[in-house]
Amino acid sequence: MNKDELIKQAKDLISKGNIEKAKSFLEEHKDEIGEQYDKLRKSLPDLNIDDLAGQVKGFFKK
């Protein structure tokens, strides 16, 4: 894949909510992506387990 294809793939993963896959993909291709790596990495939501648990609990509250 060329640089543009890698960036598109990363953006697709992010937009579909595949955050962990997107993080892994970015790490694997960080050298090929170059200066776009930081921009894409910053666009990822930074959810940790506590945030996720809080969101799930809030979903089930009436």
Side-chain angles (χ1 to χ4, degrees), residues 55-62:
Q55 289 178 4
V56 171
K57 285 179 187 176
F59 180 74
F60 290 107
K61 286 184 180 179
K62 291 185 178 185

Side-chain angles (χ1 to χ4, degrees), residues 21-42:
K21 285 184 182 181
K23 286 179 183 179
S24 296
F25 184 84
L26 287 172
E27 287 302 316
E28 289 174 25
H29 300 286
K30 135 180 172 177
D31 293 333
E32 294 101 327
I33 293 173
E35 72 273 356
Q36 290 293 318
Y37 170 80
D38 288 330
K39 184 178 178 181
L40 290 166
R41 185 77 172 131
K42 288 178 184 176

